[in-house]
Amino acid sequence: METQFYILLSLKTPQGFTDYGQYFFGDEREAAYELFGQLQGSDELKPACLLHIDLMETVNELPVQIKTKCCTLEQLGQNCKLIAREIFCLKNLEEME
């Protein structure tokens, strides 16, 4: 089974964290780790943190959380722009090869 990588977006609700978006990298481990390292936000998770960005990996078809960043709404907006741009480049360069 092939390992897949993705970034998961979630927000805090009274019931806990709810997932609301995903960006898929496929099997591009290096690209996923490199991009996640460029994202704005704090690696220190605090109870007041309402927005999370998680780097996820599927292992034996089960999701595994690798890293998490806590961010503000402004940071989330910048991060989403960066993620979309990088995935666009990654996928379009694959098709050109």
Side-chain angles (χ1 to χ4, degrees), residues 7-12 17 20 45-46 49-54 65 68-71 76:
I7 288 179
L8 181 66
L9 306 176
S10 60
L11 56 92
K12 191 172 187 176
F17 278 91
Y20 68 91
L45 301 180
K46 298 178 182 176
C49 179
L50 302 178
L51 301 170
H52 280 188
I53 300 178
D54 302 314
Q65 183 183 55
T68 300
K69 287 201 183 233
C70 175
C71 59
L76 177 65

Side-chain angles (χ1 to χ4, degrees), residues 2 8 10 22 49-50 54 60 62-63 69 83 85 92:
E2 190 174 290
L8 181 66
S10 60
Q22 296 178 337
C49 179
L50 302 178
D54 302 314
N60 296 325
L62 297 173
K69 287 201 183 233
I83 293 167
R85 184 179 65 226
N92 281 302

Side-chain angles (χ1 to χ4, degrees), residues 54-73:
D54 302 314
L55 178 58
M56 305 290 292
E57 176 180 357
T58 55
V59 177
N60 296 325
E61 298 184 22
L62 297 173
V64 175
Q65 183 183 55
I66 301 169
K67 295 180 181 182
T68 300
K69 287 201 183 233
C70 175
C71 59
T72 65
L73 187 57

Side-chain angles (χ1 to χ4, degrees), residues 26-53:
D27 62 351
E28 299 284 343
R29 173 188 298 265
E30 233 176 89
Y33 273 81
E34 184 178 323
L35 176 59
F36 195 82
Q38 295 177 42
L39 298 180
Q40 297 178 13
S42 172
D43 294 332
E44 184 180 330
L45 301 180
K46 298 178 182 176
C49 179
L50 302 178
L51 301 170
H52 280 188
I53 300 178

